[in-house]
Amino acid sequence: MASEPKTLQQAIQYFSDPDNCRTYIMVRRWPDGVVCPTCGSAKVSFLVKQQRWQCSVKHPKRQFSVKVGTIFEGSPLGLDKWLPAVWLVTNCKNGVSSYEIHRDLGVTQKSAWFMLHRIRLAMRDSSPKKLFGCRSESP
Ligand SMILES: [Zn+2]
């Protein structure tokens, strides 16, 4: 992870690559290796074509993407927009406005507001780690 983005420009460029997005979340969410978000099994295999993992245990929702169970799940916005937004929020000590996200990332201001709201909610009472994991803790 030596190439971790240091500037917004780098972040946008870095996260334009889906592999980088997946790895970025993966190492934060599953530092000890990928586990199934449904049953917790570590016996998962990566399906390159689908860009998803598949759990070896037989249960519904065996296949999962890196978005499953995170604040990004169910959002039509791609990780190429979400992750630079997270980067902005975590790196701008003076705070970032939805207008800045709108302008810098080229999403609508409505989307920017929504993203900012979700990111802040996830970061409010926990470490940034929560961003990439425990969606189920919020109502
Ligand atoms: Zn499983």
Side-chain angles (χ1 to χ4, degrees), residues 17-20 22 46-54 63-67:
D17 182 340
D19 284 342
N20 286 344
R22 196 178 58 244
F46 187 65
L47 311 168
V48 178
K49 261 190 199 163
Q50 288 95 328
Q51 295 288 298
R52 287 163 166 263
W53 287 273
Q54 180 168 293
Q63 289 188 11
F64 56 98
S65 75
V66 78
K67 278 170 113 177

PDB file of all heavy atoms in Angstrom, residues 17-20 22 46-54 63-67:
ATOM      1  N   ASP A  17      -9.575   3.098 -10.606  1.00  0.00           N
ATOM      2  CA  ASP A  17      -9.290   1.694 -10.892  1.00  0.00           C
ATOM      3  C   ASP A  17     -10.049   0.806  -9.905  1.00  0.00           C
ATOM      4  O   ASP A  17      -9.798   0.870  -8.705  1.00  0.00           O
ATOM      5  CB  ASP A  17      -7.773   1.458 -10.768  1.00  0.00           C
ATOM      6  CG  ASP A  17      -7.394   0.018 -11.100  1.00  0.00           C
ATOM      7  OD1 ASP A  17      -8.271  -0.871 -11.047  1.00  0.00           O
ATOM      8  OD2 ASP A  17      -6.217  -0.203 -11.407  1.00  0.00           O
ATOM      9  N   PRO A  18     -11.010  -0.006 -10.427  1.00  0.00           N
ATOM     10  CA  PRO A  18     -11.825  -0.835  -9.527  1.00  0.00           C
ATOM     11  C   PRO A  18     -10.999  -1.775  -8.645  1.00  0.00           C
ATOM     12  O   PRO A  18     -11.385  -2.062  -7.507  1.00  0.00           O
ATOM     13  CB  PRO A  18     -12.699  -1.652 -10.489  1.00  0.00           C
ATOM     14  CG  PRO A  18     -12.640  -0.951 -11.785  1.00  0.00           C
ATOM     15  CD  PRO A  18     -11.371  -0.175 -11.833  1.00  0.00           C
ATOM     16  N   ASP A  19      -9.863  -2.244  -9.163  1.00  0.00           N
ATOM     17  CA  ASP A  19      -9.010  -3.124  -8.359  1.00  0.00           C
ATOM     18  C   ASP A  19      -8.459  -2.393  -7.150  1.00  0.00           C
ATOM     19  O   ASP A  19      -8.378  -2.938  -6.048  1.00  0.00           O
ATOM     20  CB  ASP A  19      -7.832  -3.653  -9.195  1.00  0.00           C
ATOM     21  CG  ASP A  19      -8.263  -4.741 -10.161  1.00  0.00           C
ATOM     22  OD1 ASP A  19      -9.359  -5.311  -9.958  1.00  0.00           O
ATOM     23  OD2 ASP A  19      -7.522  -5.008 -11.114  1.00  0.00           O
ATOM     24  N   ASN A  20      -8.076  -1.147  -7.361  1.00  0.00           N
ATOM     25  CA  ASN A  20      -7.565  -0.346  -6.247  1.00  0.00           C
ATOM     26  C   ASN A  20      -8.649  -0.107  -5.200  1.00  0.00           C
ATOM     27  O   ASN A  20      -8.382  -0.156  -4.001  1.00  0.00           O
ATOM     28  CB  ASN A  20      -7.037   1.001  -6.751  1.00  0.00           C
ATOM     29  CG  ASN A  20      -5.706   0.865  -7.465  1.00  0.00           C
ATOM     30  OD1 ASN A  20      -5.027  -0.149  -7.345  1.00  0.00           O
ATOM     31  ND2 ASN A  20      -5.333   1.886  -8.209  1.00  0.00           N
ATOM     32  N   ARG A  22     -11.237  -1.996  -4.550  1.00  0.00           N
ATOM     33  CA  ARG A  22     -11.512  -3.227  -3.824  1.00  0.00           C
ATOM     34  C   ARG A  22     -10.416  -3.500  -2.796  1.00  0.00           C
ATOM     35  O   ARG A  22     -10.687  -3.833  -1.648  1.00  0.00           O
ATOM     36  CB  ARG A  22     -11.643  -4.395  -4.801  1.00  0.00           C
ATOM     37  CG  ARG A  22     -12.310  -5.610  -4.175  1.00  0.00           C
ATOM     38  CD  ARG A  22     -12.474  -6.734  -5.166  1.00  0.00           C
ATOM     39  NE  ARG A  22     -11.187  -7.132  -5.706  1.00  0.00           N
ATOM     40  CZ  ARG A  22     -10.836  -7.008  -6.982  1.00  0.00           C
ATOM     41  NH1 ARG A  22     -11.672  -6.528  -7.849  1.00  0.00           N
ATOM     42  NH2 ARG A  22      -9.642  -7.380  -7.390  1.00  0.00           N
ATOM     43  N   PHE A  46     -12.376 -15.949  -4.702  1.00  0.00           N
ATOM     44  CA  PHE A  46     -12.650 -14.755  -5.501  1.00  0.00           C
ATOM     45  C   PHE A  46     -12.989 -15.144  -6.935  1.00  0.00           C
ATOM     46  O   PHE A  46     -12.278 -15.921  -7.558  1.00  0.00           O
ATOM     47  CB  PHE A  46     -11.443 -13.818  -5.469  1.00  0.00           C
ATOM     48  CG  PHE A  46     -11.717 -12.496  -6.125  1.00  0.00           C
ATOM     49  CD1 PHE A  46     -12.648 -11.624  -5.579  1.00  0.00           C
ATOM     50  CD2 PHE A  46     -11.062 -12.135  -7.289  1.00  0.00           C
ATOM     51  CE1 PHE A  46     -12.924 -10.408  -6.190  1.00  0.00           C
ATOM     52  CE2 PHE A  46     -11.329 -10.908  -7.902  1.00  0.00           C
ATOM     53  CZ  PHE A  46     -12.260 -10.049  -7.340  1.00  0.00           C
ATOM     54  N   LEU A  47     -14.105 -14.614  -7.429  1.00  0.00           N
ATOM     55  CA  LEU A  47     -14.515 -14.864  -8.798  1.00  0.00           C
ATOM     56  C   LEU A  47     -14.118 -13.657  -9.638  1.00  0.00           C
ATOM     57  O   LEU A  47     -14.716 -12.590  -9.519  1.00  0.00           O
ATOM     58  CB  LEU A  47     -16.034 -15.068  -8.871  1.00  0.00           C
ATOM     59  CG  LEU A  47     -16.627 -16.062  -7.861  1.00  0.00           C
ATOM     60  CD1 LEU A  47     -18.146 -15.953  -7.838  1.00  0.00           C
ATOM     61  CD2 LEU A  47     -16.210 -17.490  -8.192  1.00  0.00           C
ATOM     62  N   VAL A  48     -13.092 -13.838 -10.436  1.00  0.00           N
ATOM     63  CA  VAL A  48     -12.504 -12.712 -11.155  1.00  0.00           C
ATOM     64  C   VAL A  48     -13.507 -12.050 -12.108  1.00  0.00           C
ATOM     65  O   VAL A  48     -13.621 -10.831 -12.148  1.00  0.00           O
ATOM     66  CB  VAL A  48     -11.240 -13.159 -11.929  1.00  0.00           C
ATOM     67  CG1 VAL A  48     -10.647 -11.999 -12.711  1.00  0.00           C
ATOM     68  CG2 VAL A  48     -10.211 -13.719 -10.971  1.00  0.00           C
ATOM     69  N   LYS A  49     -14.257 -12.877 -12.840  1.00  0.00           N
ATOM     70  CA  LYS A  49     -15.196 -12.325 -13.818  1.00  0.00           C
ATOM     71  C   LYS A  49     -16.262 -11.454 -13.158  1.00  0.00           C
ATOM     72  O   LYS A  49     -16.589 -10.388 -13.633  1.00  0.00           O
ATOM     73  CB  LYS A  49     -15.888 -13.466 -14.584  1.00  0.00           C
ATOM     74  CG  LYS A  49     -15.262 -13.728 -15.929  1.00  0.00           C
ATOM     75  CD  LYS A  49     -16.136 -14.688 -16.741  1.00  0.00           C
ATOM     76  CE  LYS A  49     -15.325 -15.322 -17.855  1.00  0.00           C
ATOM     77  NZ  LYS A  49     -16.003 -16.525 -18.380  1.00  0.00           N
ATOM     78  N   GLN A  50     -16.806 -11.946 -12.057  1.00  0.00           N
ATOM     79  CA  GLN A  50     -17.889 -11.225 -11.388  1.00  0.00           C
ATOM     80  C   GLN A  50     -17.384 -10.145 -10.443  1.00  0.00           C
ATOM     81  O   GLN A  50     -18.172  -9.359  -9.933  1.00  0.00           O
ATOM     82  CB  GLN A  50     -18.764 -12.189 -10.587  1.00  0.00           C
ATOM     83  CG  GLN A  50     -19.645 -13.093 -11.428  1.00  0.00           C
ATOM     84  CD  GLN A  50     -18.977 -14.449 -11.681  1.00  0.00           C
ATOM     85  OE1 GLN A  50     -17.755 -14.540 -11.765  1.00  0.00           O
ATOM     86  NE2 GLN A  50     -19.765 -15.491 -11.789  1.00  0.00           N
ATOM     87  N   GLN A  51     -16.082 -10.164 -10.174  1.00  0.00           N
ATOM     88  CA  GLN A  51     -15.514  -9.223  -9.202  1.00  0.00           C
ATOM     89  C   GLN A  51     -16.191  -9.376  -7.836  1.00  0.00           C
ATOM     90  O   GLN A  51     -16.528  -8.394  -7.185  1.00  0.00           O
ATOM     91  CB  GLN A  51     -15.637  -7.775  -9.698  1.00  0.00           C
ATOM     92  CG  GLN A  51     -14.818  -7.503 -10.950  1.00  0.00           C
ATOM     93  CD  GLN A  51     -13.326  -7.465 -10.687  1.00  0.00           C
ATOM     94  OE1 GLN A  51     -12.834  -6.636  -9.932  1.00  0.00           O
ATOM     95  NE2 GLN A  51     -12.572  -8.383 -11.271  1.00  0.00           N
ATOM     96  N   ARG A  52     -16.457 -10.621  -7.477  1.00  0.00           N
ATOM     97  CA  ARG A  52     -17.113 -10.914  -6.206  1.00  0.00           C
ATOM     98  C   ARG A  52     -16.448 -12.115  -5.565  1.00  0.00           C
ATOM     99  O   ARG A  52     -15.774 -12.883  -6.227  1.00  0.00           O
ATOM    100  CB  ARG A  52     -18.575 -11.324  -6.446  1.00  0.00           C
ATOM    101  CG  ARG A  52     -19.470 -10.190  -6.838  1.00  0.00           C
ATOM    102  CD  ARG A  52     -20.743 -10.743  -7.437  1.00  0.00           C
ATOM    103  NE  ARG A  52     -21.722  -9.673  -7.510  1.00  0.00           N
ATOM    104  CZ  ARG A  52     -22.661  -9.476  -6.588  1.00  0.00           C
ATOM    105  NH1 ARG A  52     -22.791 -10.309  -5.579  1.00  0.00           N
ATOM    106  NH2 ARG A  52     -23.482  -8.460  -6.680  1.00  0.00           N
ATOM    107  N   TRP A  53     -16.730 -12.279  -4.293  1.00  0.00           N
ATOM    108  CA  TRP A  53     -16.286 -13.484  -3.616  1.00  0.00           C
ATOM    109  C   TRP A  53     -17.463 -14.441  -3.513  1.00  0.00           C
ATOM    110  O   TRP A  53     -18.620 -14.025  -3.543  1.00  0.00           O
ATOM    111  CB  TRP A  53     -15.792 -13.176  -2.203  1.00  0.00           C
ATOM    112  CG  TRP A  53     -14.483 -12.486  -2.172  1.00  0.00           C
ATOM    113  CD1 TRP A  53     -13.246 -13.059  -2.184  1.00  0.00           C
ATOM    114  CD2 TRP A  53     -14.254 -11.072  -2.105  1.00  0.00           C
ATOM    115  NE1 TRP A  53     -12.274 -12.089  -2.145  1.00  0.00           N
ATOM    116  CE2 TRP A  53     -12.864 -10.872  -2.098  1.00  0.00           C
ATOM    117  CE3 TRP A  53     -15.105  -9.966  -2.071  1.00  0.00           C
ATOM    118  CZ2 TRP A  53     -12.297  -9.602  -2.035  1.00  0.00           C
ATOM    119  CZ3 TRP A  53     -14.544  -8.695  -2.017  1.00  0.00           C
ATOM    120  CH2 TRP A  53     -13.155  -8.516  -1.997  1.00  0.00           C
ATOM    121  N   GLN A  54     -17.133 -15.720  -3.353  1.00  0.00           N
ATOM    122  CA  GLN A  54     -18.170 -16.703  -3.089  1.00  0.00           C
ATOM    123  C   GLN A  54     -17.795 -17.512  -1.863  1.00  0.00           C
ATOM    124  O   GLN A  54     -16.681 -18.029  -1.757  1.00  0.00           O
ATOM    125  CB  GLN A  54     -18.365 -17.631  -4.286  1.00  0.00           C
ATOM    126  CG  GLN A  54     -19.435 -18.671  -4.027  1.00  0.00           C
ATOM    127  CD  GLN A  54     -19.844 -19.397  -5.295  1.00  0.00           C
ATOM    128  OE1 GLN A  54     -20.438 -18.829  -6.206  1.00  0.00           O
ATOM    129  NE2 GLN A  54     -19.496 -20.665  -5.374  1.00  0.00           N
ATOM    130  N   GLN A  63     -22.636 -15.165  -2.716  1.00  0.00           N
ATOM    131  CA  GLN A  63     -21.709 -14.284  -3.418  1.00  0.00           C
ATOM    132  C   GLN A  63     -21.833 -12.868  -2.875  1.00  0.00           C
ATOM    133  O   GLN A  63     -22.929 -12.384  -2.638  1.00  0.00           O
ATOM    134  CB  GLN A  63     -22.006 -14.301  -4.917  1.00  0.00           C
ATOM    135  CG  GLN A  63     -21.625 -15.621  -5.569  1.00  0.00           C
ATOM    136  CD  GLN A  63     -21.746 -15.558  -7.085  1.00  0.00           C
ATOM    137  OE1 GLN A  63     -21.922 -14.496  -7.675  1.00  0.00           O
ATOM    138  NE2 GLN A  63     -21.647 -16.726  -7.720  1.00  0.00           N
ATOM    139  N   PHE A  64     -20.704 -12.241  -2.689  1.00  0.00           N
ATOM    140  CA  PHE A  64     -20.749 -10.880  -2.154  1.00  0.00           C
ATOM    141  C   PHE A  64     -19.651 -10.022  -2.771  1.00  0.00           C
ATOM    142  O   PHE A  64     -18.560 -10.486  -3.071  1.00  0.00           O
ATOM    143  CB  PHE A  64     -20.642 -10.880  -0.624  1.00  0.00           C
ATOM    144  CG  PHE A  64     -19.418 -11.580  -0.084  1.00  0.00           C
ATOM    145  CD1 PHE A  64     -18.294 -10.860   0.280  1.00  0.00           C
ATOM    146  CD2 PHE A  64     -19.408 -12.956   0.077  1.00  0.00           C
ATOM    147  CE1 PHE A  64     -17.162 -11.497   0.789  1.00  0.00           C
ATOM    148  CE2 PHE A  64     -18.282 -13.616   0.573  1.00  0.00           C
ATOM    149  CZ  PHE A  64     -17.163 -12.874   0.929  1.00  0.00           C
ATOM    150  N   SER A  65     -19.987  -8.762  -2.932  1.00  0.00           N
ATOM    151  CA  SER A  65     -18.994  -7.809  -3.416  1.00  0.00           C
ATOM    152  C   SER A  65     -18.441  -7.071  -2.201  1.00  0.00           C
ATOM    153  O   SER A  65     -18.931  -7.229  -1.090  1.00  0.00           O
ATOM    154  CB  SER A  65     -19.632  -6.809  -4.376  1.00  0.00           C
ATOM    155  OG  SER A  65     -20.396  -5.883  -3.646  1.00  0.00           O
ATOM    156  N   VAL A  66     -17.447  -6.258  -2.457  1.00  0.00           N
ATOM    157  CA  VAL A  66     -16.810  -5.528  -1.361  1.00  0.00           C
ATOM    158  C   VAL A  66     -17.777  -4.501  -0.754  1.00  0.00           C
ATOM    159  O   VAL A  66     -17.616  -4.063   0.371  1.00  0.00           O
ATOM    160  CB  VAL A  66     -15.487  -4.897  -1.871  1.00  0.00           C
ATOM    161  CG1 VAL A  66     -15.740  -3.639  -2.677  1.00  0.00           C
ATOM    162  CG2 VAL A  66     -14.508  -4.645  -0.739  1.00  0.00           C
ATOM    163  N   LYS A  67     -18.828  -4.157  -1.486  1.00  0.00           N
ATOM    164  CA  LYS A  67     -19.794  -3.163  -1.003  1.00  0.00           C
ATOM    165  C   LYS A  67     -20.800  -3.741   0.005  1.00  0.00           C
ATOM    166  O   LYS A  67     -21.396  -2.994   0.775  1.00  0.00           O
ATOM    167  CB  LYS A  67     -20.602  -2.595  -2.177  1.00  0.00           C
ATOM    168  CG  LYS A  67     -19.906  -1.475  -2.947  1.00  0.00           C
ATOM    169  CD  LYS A  67     -20.680  -1.161  -4.223  1.00  0.00           C
ATOM    170  CE  LYS A  67     -21.296   0.231  -4.175  1.00  0.00           C
ATOM    171  NZ  LYS A  67     -21.988   0.561  -5.452  1.00  0.00           N
TER     172      LYS A  67
END
